[in-house]
Structures are given as structure tokens and as C-alpha cells.
Amino acid sequence: MSDTTVFRAKKIITMDPDMPVATHVAVRDGRILAVGGADCADQWGGASHDDGLSGTVLMPGLVEGHAHMMAGAMWRYAYAGYHDRIDPDGVLWKGLADIDGVVAGLKEYGKRLGPDDPLVAWGFDPIFLPTERLNRNHLDEIDRDRPIAVMYSNFHLMCVNSKALELAGYSRETEVVGVAKGPDGEPVGELREMAAMFPVMRRLGIDFRGLSQTEPAIRSYGKVAVRAGVTTATDLFATIEDGDVETLLRVTGEDDYPLRLVPVLGAIGGSPEEIAAKALRLGERGTEKLRLGAVKLMTDGSIQGWTARVKWPGYVGGQPNGIWNTPPDMIHQLVEAMHRNGVQLHIHTNGDEASEVSMNAIEAALRKHPWSGHRHVLQHAQMMGRDQFRRAAELGIAVNLFANHIWYFGDQHAALTIGVDRARRMDAARSALDEGVVLAIHSDAPVTPMAPLFTAWCAVNRRTMSGRVLGENQRITVEEALHAITLGAARTLKMDGEIGSVSVGKRADFAILGEDPTAVDPSRLKDVPVLGTVMDGRVFRA
Amino acid sequence: MTGVSADASAKLPMTVVAGYLGAGKTTLINRLLAEDHGLRLLVMVNDFGAINIDADLLESRDEDTLTLTNGCACCTMGADLFMAMGDALDRRPRPDHLVIEASGVADPKRIADAGIAESEMTYGGIVTVVDGVEFPRLAEDGLIGPQVRAQAAQADLLHVSKVDPTPDALLALLAEISGASVLDSGAGDPLSPLLFAIPANPRRSAVAAVHPDYVSYSYEGPVAMTRGEIGSLIARRPQGLFRAKGRIAEEGGASWEVQVVGTQVSITRGPAIAVTRFVGIGLASNVTRGEIEDWWKAALPVPHPA
Ligand SMILES: [Zn+2]
């Protein structure tokens, strides 16, 4: 007979209404055998007892339904953002609150580099530093001999030092859109958009493709997850070649790899039919810890970049409507091909017009090919109104809302992008639940840090950085938010039969917490300590 | 850091082929791959779906590259276009010309600007393929209209597909949106001399003689000019001169590399040369060979004594 272990906890929040709380959970073969008190495994022939978690609170392993693997490997570069962040190894990087801070922080970081290494930083966000713009003189203070590039958090801009300008051949002679110049005619160091950034990236060896699917990237993503209490996470727009599958299988297959990884294939590089065929092929290679077979489709851009496709009345500043990254005709073709082949879709839609076009496409596909369990997911879906949620419910569409935006960008949305009326009902978790839509909420890491308890806090409190409550009527309860980061997210991945609650038969995946998230004041939900995870019954300490 | 070649003579020109879904971008690319231009083209496409290469022209094929017997290659660009551009630059031997098929909604200028920014590349222009049948409807479409119009507005050359000749109403609409020259769908066979500014070569079919759609003038001689003289010469070029390129000697042994595509001009330092070479090409509907020749000759300073 197999070994059985009974874990004891201060409290187990199961998310299973048949036994909402417990103190013990029995695990056999990596699965949940029984839930209840100390004797819960007795009728199964007894068990050994593990009291190592007895001082902690357990929840189902948290599920991050929208993040990217580069959230781990980005940390090969220095972090230069405004907010505090913790890297995969647990090191706290203090937020850099002004330009002097950026200079001092990167100077310190530079001491750790070899003499020939470029200094590359990421996450810088001038939106929070309303002083002078970062320029090359600031970066020259850090180092004149070593090329330096500071990537902005939106990845559309960077600032570089004189050495990097020189390597790229940028000078006062340069006539390139995107190479910003000062009153003296010299480049100031700011480079806008990829065409202008590319020559620097090439010479500094910055290649984002190496931040996913490589062994180090897969491993550091696992570490990020453990610190967030996450046992299942997506990589939502993956490029997956045959060799990548081998690497993914090998690393995730190790007993001490702590994550159920869900790479979702990006819909590019082939005809709709070829992409569907590839997804089906990949789906067959999945394992317990590597889930393949779904497809991610891009539609519009971002709201804070004014590139999301929004319905009337558009942007408050009168900016033109955003752009389609996939034209509506192609959205229809892709949706139909995936749907017909039984491939689940995750569709990026920020603006409400993009959500509408995507739902039109799904409805058209459904009329041709009925499929009641498709559970296609609108990802971000930040501007959906109640009418759209009703329609999503009718069509069997799930949503994964970008709740973290409320805190990070809510003030900007109210003042500068879509105006206060629609900002109050952004990421409308209340509407989604009221209308009966399957709901998940997400971080989009590395855009914001992976931390589902923080994401839940955003949906519960709807506080912005300035402290205002943005849309009090869209707040959801703590229980609802915890559901959204466990079973709700599991449903969007069609994995709710295996994960998402502490229920007999499911995988023994838990988040280990230092406090009871249902007992703390809801305003402190984000501060509940994450001590690690349990995956298939194996403990991983953060 | 990557090893970046400093050899200026190996600069890689890049042409972007833009246009909405179904406009005919791949038809154009199939033509360019098959034409007898003697260049080792590297063509980067979003997918191979519509690329059809004659079996006798195809040397090998794998997951993401088609290799042709004429020295050309066609590959998919993957998720990151700019990183793929870097790979193209790192190829040895470096291709003679890079052609990028932009996605149906891409902003072609954002891609083509890399040809200006990257010192190892040159700007080869934006060719926007315009669907001769659908364009007027698409340009007014509430969802996609602005992006379709922008692709035409940013073009250096508009290539109209599916109708021949281009109807006057479409010409008028395009003129409203874009200053670019319009090439009829039936025109320009081969297209490569116009797009890649290949000088008329006696061993190849002489462009001007055989193809009445465009005209070319080329010069080879001892003339030398300063940077300033070249600048003012180019500024006075005939309106219909679409493409020009050359390496112009400067007294003292240096040279200047000149590239003109539509309105885009670049003049950069080149290695020492003995002989100046220059070629100018335009659409026959916009300019004559004589006009190009007169402009070039009138502007020539006194030849540098040998
Ligand atoms: Zn994302």
C-alpha cells in the first residue's frame, strides 16, 4: 500500500462547500485522500503525520491564470522600478523613488558586474517620477565606460548612456525618429520604440527570446511562483518549438520542480488551421505538470498606451481609437478555426470594443459549431460593462480580469485615459459575478508582480495608489476574491477537476500562509505572509 | 556582447512589404523570390502558408527556412521581428537585401525605421500593396480603416493588386492619402530593379529598354563631390525619381554612400573608392530617363582630374 501523510495545519480553507474548513489533510500519491480532523485518514489504513505546517494556514494552491514566464528571467537584469519588488531568490529590491535613487541603485548594482558586462535595467516608470526626464547624463554618472540601458516598464522606451549611444553610432548626425535630441542637437539618451532601441539592444545582447523556454527561465519562474503561493501558472503567449517541449517536459517533470506550468501557444507564425493543428499536437504531449493545448490570441493594445480599442465615447484626451494587433477579420478566422478544432482560446482584449469583436467572433463560431463546454476566456477584459458580462454568460465565455490595474494605474485611467465613469467600473469583478460569469483575476507578471493575494486585495478594496476607492460598487468579498484566485482561475484553465480546492481526489497543491486571509481585516489581505507551497504533497518553502 | 561586424560595405538594405490581409503581399514576395535579379535575398514572412516556390528553385526546406537554389532564402520571423532582424544581420555571408513582410495590421514605418537607425542597415523603402478591389471599402471601415489608410500613407511605393489599370477613382483616393508613386498591378515585370535599385546591367536585361513601366539611368565615372554638394544635388532631384543609390567619391580618397527611397534620403561615409557609381530609377509615368540624366549631369561639378 502507498504511503499516506496527514498534514496538520492551524486551519485549512478548502474552497469546497462540503467542508469549508478543516485542520488536517491526508495525501497519498500526490493527491488528496481525505480532509477533516486528525483521524481523517484512519479508514484508509492510517498514515504518518507531518506537523511541520501545524502553525500555518493552508489554502488550495493559488492559480495565476495570466502571467508570463519572463517574470522569472527578467531578474537577470537590474530592477529599476518605482515599487518595491522581491526577486525569485527572495531578495527585496527597494523601489527607486526618484532619479537620484535610480543612479545610486544602479551604481551599486554595477559593482557586481564583470568589466565587460553591459548594465541593463528594467521596470523604470516615469509616470511615477514627475520630475526631470531621465537622460544620458544621469546614466553617465553611473559609468562612462560600460554601456547602460534602462528599459521602461512599458517596453516602448529606454534610456541609455553615452557609451551605449556611441556603440549604436548615434550622434548629432543621426536623423532617426525615436532618437530624442536636446536643444544642443545631441541625443539625450532617450530612445523611443523598437526601431530606435534595436541597435542598442543588439549590441548589448538584450534578447527577450532567451527569457522564456530556457532551462534557467523555467526554473526561476518556478521560484517566483513558490514565493507567491502559486502552484499553477500560465505562460500566456508562448512560442513553443519542438525542442522547447523537450526542455519543458524535462524540467517540469523533476520532482522538485514546484509548478504546474500552463504554456499557452501564441497565435502567430501560421495559418489558423496550422495553429490549431499545432495546439492539438502539443496538447497530446501534456503531463500532470505541463499543460499544453490552449491558444492565446492578441486583439488590441493597452489602455494606458491609448492603443486599446474602446467604444464610444473613446479616450478623454481625444486620442484616436487604438490599434488592432490582429485585424477583426483575422480574429474571426482564428476563433473559428480554434473553436472548430476544439481548442480553447485565451483572448487578450483590453478595450470594450475588442471584447465585443471577440464575442461576436465566438458567437459566430458557436452558431456553426455548437460547443457548450468551450470556456474561451477573455483576458484583461478591463472595460467590459454589465451588458457584455451578460452576453459572456450567455455564450459560456469566462473572464480573467486585470484587477491589479486598479491599484497601479487606476488614478491614471480616471484622469487621463477613459475617464472616471468607466474607470469606476474597470475590471468589474462584481458585475461579472452578478451576471454569472466564471471569474479569475490576474497580475500579468512581469507587468505587475505575481502575488494573487495582492490581486485579490485589489478586487476586494479597489484602492488606487493615491488611496481613493475607485468604484466601490464593483468590490467583491474576500471569499469571492479567494475563489477567483483558486477555483475560478482553475476553471478558466479547465483544470478545476484537478486543482483549485482542497477536495478528495484533487492534486495535493496548497499555498502555505502565515495568517488566515478570511480573518484579517480585508484591507490587510495583501499583507498575509506567503510561506511557500505544497505541490503533489511535497513542501516548498519560500 | 554579440560580435557586430564593422564592415560598412556589408550594409544590409531592408525593404518592408506592407498591406492589409489578402491585399497580395505574398504574391509580390513570390515574384521577388523567383525573379532573376542575382541578389541573395532574405525574405522574412509571418508564415509560409502562401509562399510557393517552384520545385526546381527550391533547394531545401525545414521548419522555419526555405532555401532556394538562386541564393535566396525565406524564413519565418517568429514572435519577435526585431530579434529576427538581428539574426539576419548576423548571418554569414550576410544577405544582399532583406525583405520583410509586415503583418496585415503592422505599422510599416515602425519596422522600416530600423533600417535608418541601425548603422549596419540601410532603408530600402516601404512598398504597400493596395487591394485594388477592396481598398476603398477598407479605408472607410470603422474598425480597421485608420490602420489601412496609415499603411498607404507611409508607403514609398504603392503597388495596386487585382485591377489593371488602376481605376481613376482609386488613384484619386490614394493621392488623397499618400504622396507615394503608384505602380499598376500589371506593371513592373521584373519588379526587383525598381525595388532594389539594381543598375541596368548589359549582361542582364536592361531595365529601361525592356520594361516601359520604369526608367533607369546609371553613371560610372571619375566625378568627385563634397558632402554639401551631394546634399544639394539630391535636394534638387526630379520629383519622379523613386529610387537612387550610389557611392560617390570625394577628393582625398573618401566616399559618400547615397540612398534615396521615395522621400527618404541618407548620405553616409563610405570607404575610399576610385570610381563614382550612381543609379537612379523612377516610374515611367512620373519621370523620363532624360530628366534623370539631365539633372545628374547639370549638377556635376567639374570632374576631378584623374
Ligand atoms: Zn499578458
Side-chain angles (χ1 to χ4, degrees):
Chain A
M1 191 196 270
S2 309
D3 291 343
T4 304
T5 306
V6 173
F7 290 98
R8 174 176 145 212
K10 208 152 63 180
K11 180 177 181 182
I12 302 172
I13 300 163
T14 68
M15 307 308 292
D16 183 338
D18 290 318
M19 181 173 295
V21 294
T23 51
H24 292 70
V25 55
V27 176
R28 179 187 288 177
D29 292 337
R31 297 212 233 177
I32 297 164
L33 178 70
V35 186
D39 59 352
C40 67
D42 286 1
Q43 73 176 140
W44 294 100
S48 59
H49 283 253
D50 184 332
D51 287 349
L53 303 176
S54 59
T56 71
V57 174
L58 297 183
M59 272 190 67
L62 307 181
V63 181
E64 175 51 88
H66 186 151
H68 304 276
M69 191 186 284
M70 67 192 287
M74 281 310 295
W75 291 96
R76 76 164 62 159
Y77 305 126
Y79 174 66
Y82 179 80
H83 300 98
D84 293 354
R85 275 213 190 189
I86 294 172
D87 74 15
D89 295 311
V91 177
L92 170 71
W93 293 65
K94 290 295 285 178
L96 305 175
D98 54 34
I99 287 179
D100 289 345
V102 172
V103 170
L106 294 182
K107 206 178 235 172
E108 202 48 44
Y109 177 86
K111 291 178 186 163
R112 289 189 253 153
L113 296 171
D116 295 329
D117 297 337
L119 197 170
V120 180
W122 64 285
F124 180 73
D125 202 339
I127 211 168
F128 303 123
L129 306 181
T131 54
E132 170 190 27
R133 284 189 85 82
L134 188 66
N135 65 49
R136 71 171 186 180
N137 295 327
H138 299 124
L139 301 184
D140 284 346
E141 277 179 53
I142 298 166
D143 205 322
R144 286 182 168 278
D145 303 323
R146 173 199 307 285
I148 301 176
V150 176
M151 313 269 314
Y152 289 31
S153 60
N154 62 14
F155 295 106
H156 288 285
L157 284 88
M158 62 165 54
C159 187
V160 304
N161 71 344
S162 300
K163 182 71 188 180
L165 287 170
E166 181 193 315
L167 283 176
Y170 289 156
S171 68
R172 56 186 305 118
E173 315 283 305
T174 303
E175 300 285 349
V176 177
V177 183
V179 177
K181 292 197 181 164
D184 61 353
E186 294 288 338
V188 294
E190 186 169 301
L191 307 177
R192 301 171 190 149
E193 297 300 338
M194 270 306 288
M197 303 194 303
F198 159 69
V200 168
M201 292 174 70
R202 183 162 170 257
R203 285 164 181 80
L204 270 57
I206 306 172
D207 187 341
F208 288 150
R209 292 173 300 190
L211 302 183
S212 300
Q213 321 307 17
T214 61
E215 189 170 327
I218 301 167
R219 291 195 193 288
S220 65
Y221 198 43
K223 290 184 186 176
V224 168
V226 170
R227 290 188 186 284
V230 168
T231 51
T232 301
T234 50
D235 176 21
L236 208 64
F237 199 86
T239 310
I240 310 170
E241 305 303 343
D242 290 338
D244 298 330
V245 179
E246 303 305 327
T247 311
L248 287 164
L249 284 170
R250 181 166 48 78
V251 179
T252 60
E254 292 169 5
D255 285 344
D256 59 358
Y257 186 73
L259 184 60
R260 256 175 246 297
L261 185 61
V262 188
V264 175
L265 179 69
I268 50 161
S271 66
E273 216 47 58
E274 286 165 347
I275 294 166
K278 182 168 182 179
L280 291 171
R281 245 187 357 257
L282 286 170
E284 286 170 10
R285 305 202 60 189
T287 65
E288 290 289 352
K289 285 172 72 184
L290 180 69
R291 286 317 170 89
L292 296 160
V295 165
K296 163 95 175 275
L297 169 57
M298 295 299 294
T299 65
D300 64 345
S302 74
I303 302 169
Q304 70 274 29
W306 291 279
T307 48
R309 287 293 306 200
V310 303
K311 290 167 58 169
W312 193 89
Y315 292 109
V316 280
Q319 289 87 352
N321 204 345
I323 54 155
W324 296 101
N325 285 312
T326 305
D329 292 343
M330 184 54 81
I331 294 171
H332 276 260
Q333 289 175 37
L334 282 160
V335 167
E336 195 199 317
M338 300 313 138
H339 187 90
R340 177 163 30 83
N341 284 287
V343 173
Q344 190 199 11
L345 273 162
H346 294 271
I347 309 178
H348 161 118
T349 71
N350 265 313
D352 45 6
E353 187 178 64
S355 296
E356 182 169 293
V357 166
S358 302
M359 287 198 283
N360 291 347
I362 293 171
E363 182 169 355
L366 272 168
R367 291 172 73 98
K368 288 189 197 165
H369 315 284
W371 177 16
S372 53
H374 62 79
R375 223 180 284 172
H376 300 310
V377 184
L378 297 187
Q379 294 283 346
H380 302 325
Q382 296 206 75
M383 292 179 67
M384 280 174 72
R386 270 182 200 271
D387 57 324
Q388 292 188 318
F389 286 113
R390 272 196 295 281
R391 189 173 175 210
E394 279 170 14
L395 294 172
I397 295 169
V399 299
N400 189 347
L401 304 180
F402 199 167
N404 285 17
H405 244 255
I406 300 162
W407 190 74
Y408 281 99
F409 302 104
D411 295 318
Q412 265 84 25
H413 289 314
L416 301 172
T417 67
I418 54 175
V420 70
D421 296 86
R422 286 170 299 165
R424 273 199 296 260
R425 61 157 180 77
M426 282 186 83
D427 298 293
R430 178 81 273 146
S431 300
L433 290 176
D434 288 351
E435 302 303 341
V437 180
V438 171
L439 171 72
I441 49 181
H442 67 266
S443 68
D444 201 13
V447 176
T448 71
M450 186 192 292
L453 289 175
F454 174 85
T455 305
W457 173 87
C458 290
V460 166
N461 295 281
R462 292 187 69 90
R463 284 216 181 268
T464 68
M465 274 177 67
S466 70
R468 81 197 272 188
V469 174
L470 189 64
E472 57 185 40
N473 298 328
Q474 284 296 343
R475 292 182 296 189
I476 59 175
T477 66
V478 170
E479 283 70 19
E480 287 167 332
L482 295 181
H483 188 276
I485 58 173
T486 53
L487 211 43
R491 285 181 75 182
T492 66
L493 304 178
K494 298 192 170 188
M495 291 173 71
D496 49 304
E498 302 147 77
I499 59 165
S501 65
V502 182
S503 309
V504 174
K506 288 195 177 182
R507 307 304 312 183
D509 292 359
F510 314 125
I512 310 171
L513 307 178
E515 275 186 281
D516 177 356
T518 62
V520 300
D521 188 283
S523 67
R524 286 191 52 241
L525 188 54
K526 64 182 169 54
D527 305 317
V528 169
V530 174
L531 307 177
T533 59
V534 178
M535 147 83 46
D536 285 342
R538 192 183 178 112
V539 177
F540 295 89
R541 292 281 177 176
Chain B
M1 287 192 226
T2 51
V4 173
S5 153
D7 181 6
S9 65
K11 278 190 182 187
L12 177 64
M14 177 174 70
T15 299
V16 178
V17 176
Y20 190 63
L21 299 176
K25 295 190 293 288
T26 13
T27 310
L28 176 66
I29 283 167
N30 281 325
R31 269 175 78 174
L32 293 175
L33 280 169
E35 280 182 9
D36 177 25
H37 40 61
L39 296 176
R40 287 171 305 112
L41 296 185
L42 176 62
V43 180
M44 296 202 307
V45 298
N46 288 296
D47 73 86
F48 283 152
I51 299 294
N52 48 51
I53 304 295
D54 260 6
D56 51 328
L57 204 56
L58 188 65
E59 188 177 287
S60 66
R61 168 180 199 132
D62 66 25
E63 199 180 353
D64 48 27
T65 308
L66 303 174
T67 308
L68 277 60
T69 52
N70 64 7
C72 296
C74 178
C75 63
T76 54
M77 59 184 90
D80 196 319
L81 165 62
F82 286 89
M83 297 302 137
M85 235 182 247
D87 293 346
L89 281 165
D90 291 340
R91 280 193 181 219
R92 293 295 177 271
R94 201 174 257 180
D96 295 320
H97 202 109
L98 177 63
V99 176
I100 291 189
E101 179 198 27
S103 86
V105 283
D107 184 328
K109 193 168 178 316
R110 286 181 183 225
I111 303 169
D113 278 347
I116 306 169
E118 171 55 61
S119 58
E120 294 177 41
M121 291 173 110
T122 58
Y123 179 89
I126 297 168
V127 182
T128 298
V129 185
V130 170
D131 187 318
V133 179
E134 296 291 331
F135 187 84
R137 180 184 66 77
L138 289 168
E140 293 306 316
D141 185 274
L143 295 177
I144 206 69
Q147 280 168 270
V148 169
R149 296 169 81 94
Q151 290 172 346
Q154 294 170 356
D156 294 298
L157 184 71
L158 293 164
H159 182 48
V160 176
S161 67
K162 301 180 186 172
V163 289
D164 191 31
T166 308
D168 288 344
L170 179 56
L171 282 173
L173 174 60
L174 291 172
E176 226 173 80
I177 297 171
S178 175
S181 309
V182 177
L183 188 65
D184 284 341
S185 72
D189 193 14
L191 277 169
S192 36
L194 180 66
L195 297 195
F196 307 139
I198 305 168
N201 181 331
R203 281 170 292 134
R204 294 186 177 281
S205 47
V207 174
V210 180
H211 299 286
D213 303 318
Y214 34 89
V215 293
S216 91
Y217 165 78
S218 51
Y219 169 89
E220 191 173 318
V223 67
M225 289 186 234
T226 64
R227 169 75 171 75
E229 286 165 342
I230 296 168
S232 60
L233 169 69
I234 298 296
R236 293 196 310 274
R237 69 191 182 277
Q239 265 224 315
L241 184 77
F242 163 69
R243 193 79 166 84
K245 89 175 175 186
R247 188 166 277 169
I248 299 174
E250 186 178 31
E251 285 190 47
S255 74
W256 293 97
E257 249 179 276
V258 179
Q259 290 274 353
V260 178
V261 186
T263 56
Q264 181 67 41
V265 175
S266 103
I267 303 169
T268 52
R269 278 215 173 277
I273 52 167
V275 180
T276 287
R277 287 194 172 83
F278 180 84
V279 58
I281 302 177
L283 294 183
S285 50
N286 298 355
V287 71
T288 65
R289 183 178 186 282
E291 280 166 355
I292 304 175
E293 182 171 4
D294 289 349
W295 157 72
W296 173 261
K297 290 205 163 146
L300 290 188
V302 181
H304 174 59

